Amino acid sequence: MTPYYLLLLGLFILLLGGKLLVDGASSIALKLGMSTGLIGLTVVAFGTSAPELLVSLNAALKGNSDISIGNVVGSNIANIGLVLGLSGIFYPILIRKENIRFDYSVMILVSIVFYLLSLDNKISLWDGIILFGGFILFNGYLFRNLGVGLTGETRLVEEEIEQVKNYGWLISLALFFGGVIGLYFGSELLVENAVLISKEFGVSERVIGITIIAIGTSLPELITSIIAALSKRTDLALGNIIGSNIMNILSIIGITAIVRPIGVSEAFIQSDYLWMLGISILLFPLMRSKMRISKVEGSILFLAYLSYLYFLL
């Protein structure tokens, strides 16, 4: 099989593994008596980020730092430009004041800290500890204020939990460990074949990581947000995207750097990080204009993403 088929197979196994992990872990959590809100903020939030985490960890351990960074930076750009842009085109997304005051402010702060920590061309062990410490503080705040900030995401994952079947212990454990195995082998296939393809075409691992892998691992957010928009649960679409961007930096980069420091090439600092910050800042006036992201604002975000791909490629 060619590297292209193996890469797609790896992506499929990775996403399937994440789904099995969430289903199995959610069923186990229900049996242990956890509330839906708590399961949503822990099990589901971690499970939906597991594909990105395994890819970044695997790439870092193999010495492919550009894929580790590109996966997260590319996903954050795609989440706003591609996912939010397309969601707004499908159906206007209403903006709540909480989205701007808390969710958006935290996302911008975390993105700036991530940029500043990368200026020495690496995310060190201590940088990882700082980011993961932020992840713990952020989730601690959410636990204490379940009704404040990211309420769209909380309600979304609660609805997802309500649809999860309460399997028997044997099936729950089988799903959980099957998901873990799927995540491992899926990330192996994805990273190894992404490197082969980058060498074959003579493009950098940074470009592969920030496009193919980033878009692939953002598929769950894309599907979830478009469904939320079509179902007219538009606050869920925005909360899902902003929450994902925050978690990508704090948890995925934080955990990966703690396991193994990540090198950051100058190209990321001079280009991709600035695009990530730029498209995040662009989101603010579009949200504030009429307190919604309609077809016009969605089209602007989507065109911004296409422009990024044009300059990148």
Short mmCIF file of all heavy atoms in Angstrom, two decimals, residues 85 89 98 105 108 111 148 191 202 207 215 220 222 269 308:
data_model
loop_
_atom_site.label_atom_id
_atom_site.label_comp_id
_atom_site.label_asym_id
_atom_site.label_seq_id
_atom_site.Cartn_x
_atom_site.Cartn_y
_atom_site.Cartn_z
N GLY A 85 -15.91 29.25 9.98
CA GLY A 85 -16.30 29.91 8.74
C GLY A 85 -17.41 29.15 8.03
O GLY A 85 -18.44 29.72 7.65
N ILE A 89 -21.51 29.99 7.43
CA ILE A 89 -22.09 30.01 6.10
C ILE A 89 -23.37 29.16 6.06
O ILE A 89 -24.35 29.52 5.42
CB ILE A 89 -21.07 29.50 5.05
CG1 ILE A 89 -19.94 30.54 4.89
CG2 ILE A 89 -21.74 29.22 3.71
CD1 ILE A 89 -18.78 30.06 4.04
N GLU A 98 -20.97 36.20 27.07
CA GLU A 98 -20.02 35.33 27.79
C GLU A 98 -18.95 34.79 26.85
O GLU A 98 -17.81 34.56 27.25
CB GLU A 98 -20.75 34.17 28.46
CG GLU A 98 -21.65 34.56 29.62
CD GLU A 98 -23.01 35.06 29.16
OE1 GLU A 98 -23.25 35.10 27.94
OE2 GLU A 98 -23.83 35.41 30.03
N SER A 105 -11.54 35.72 25.43
CA SER A 105 -10.42 36.35 26.13
C SER A 105 -9.38 35.32 26.56
O SER A 105 -8.17 35.54 26.43
CB SER A 105 -10.92 37.12 27.36
OG SER A 105 -11.83 38.13 26.98
N ILE A 108 -7.36 34.09 23.45
CA ILE A 108 -6.34 35.05 23.02
C ILE A 108 -5.16 35.04 23.98
O ILE A 108 -3.99 35.02 23.57
CB ILE A 108 -6.94 36.47 22.93
CG1 ILE A 108 -7.92 36.56 21.75
CG2 ILE A 108 -5.84 37.51 22.77
CD1 ILE A 108 -7.27 36.40 20.39
N SER A 111 -3.10 31.89 23.51
CA SER A 111 -2.37 31.93 22.23
C SER A 111 -1.14 32.83 22.32
O SER A 111 -0.07 32.49 21.79
CB SER A 111 -3.30 32.43 21.11
OG SER A 111 -4.40 31.57 20.94
N VAL A 148 -20.56 29.18 33.87
CA VAL A 148 -19.85 30.36 33.36
C VAL A 148 -18.80 29.94 32.35
O VAL A 148 -18.00 29.06 32.61
CB VAL A 148 -19.14 31.12 34.51
CG1 VAL A 148 -18.41 32.34 33.96
CG2 VAL A 148 -20.15 31.52 35.56
N VAL A 191 1.82 9.49 11.43
CA VAL A 191 3.10 10.21 11.51
C VAL A 191 4.11 9.64 10.54
O VAL A 191 4.76 10.37 9.78
CB VAL A 191 3.65 10.18 12.96
CG1 VAL A 191 5.06 10.75 13.00
CG2 VAL A 191 2.74 10.97 13.89
N GLY A 202 9.08 16.57 -1.42
CA GLY A 202 10.06 17.61 -1.15
C GLY A 202 9.51 18.79 -0.38
O GLY A 202 10.08 19.89 -0.41
N VAL A 207 4.69 21.78 6.69
CA VAL A 207 3.55 21.96 5.78
C VAL A 207 2.59 20.78 5.88
O VAL A 207 1.37 20.97 5.93
CB VAL A 207 4.04 22.13 4.32
CG1 VAL A 207 2.86 22.11 3.36
CG2 VAL A 207 4.82 23.43 4.17
N ILE A 215 -5.92 19.35 9.52
CA ILE A 215 -7.30 19.30 9.03
C ILE A 215 -7.93 17.96 9.39
O ILE A 215 -9.09 17.89 9.82
CB ILE A 215 -7.35 19.53 7.51
CG1 ILE A 215 -6.93 20.98 7.18
CG2 ILE A 215 -8.76 19.26 6.97
CD1 ILE A 215 -6.77 21.24 5.70
N PRO A 220 -13.47 16.03 13.70
CA PRO A 220 -14.55 15.93 14.69
C PRO A 220 -15.16 17.29 15.02
O PRO A 220 -16.39 17.41 15.11
CB PRO A 220 -13.85 15.32 15.92
CG PRO A 220 -12.71 14.56 15.36
CD PRO A 220 -12.24 15.38 14.19
N LEU A 222 -15.17 19.91 13.06
CA LEU A 222 -15.88 20.39 11.88
C LEU A 222 -17.28 19.78 11.80
O LEU A 222 -18.27 20.49 11.62
CB LEU A 222 -15.08 20.04 10.62
CG LEU A 222 -15.74 20.40 9.27
CD1 LEU A 222 -16.00 21.89 9.19
CD2 LEU A 222 -14.87 19.94 8.12
N ILE A 269 7.40 30.67 13.93
CA ILE A 269 7.36 31.94 14.67
C ILE A 269 7.11 33.12 13.75
O ILE A 269 6.35 34.04 14.07
CB ILE A 269 8.68 32.14 15.46
CG1 ILE A 269 8.83 31.02 16.50
CG2 ILE A 269 8.72 33.51 16.12
CD1 ILE A 269 10.18 31.01 17.19
N TYR A 308 -4.45 31.81 3.82
CA TYR A 308 -3.34 31.21 4.57
C TYR A 308 -2.77 30.01 3.83
O TYR A 308 -1.55 29.89 3.68
CB TYR A 308 -3.82 30.80 5.95
CG TYR A 308 -2.84 29.92 6.71
CD1 TYR A 308 -1.59 30.41 7.07
CD2 TYR A 308 -3.16 28.60 7.00
CE1 TYR A 308 -0.68 29.61 7.74
CE2 TYR A 308 -2.26 27.80 7.66
CZ TYR A 308 -1.02 28.31 8.03
OH TYR A 308 -0.11 27.50 8.68
#
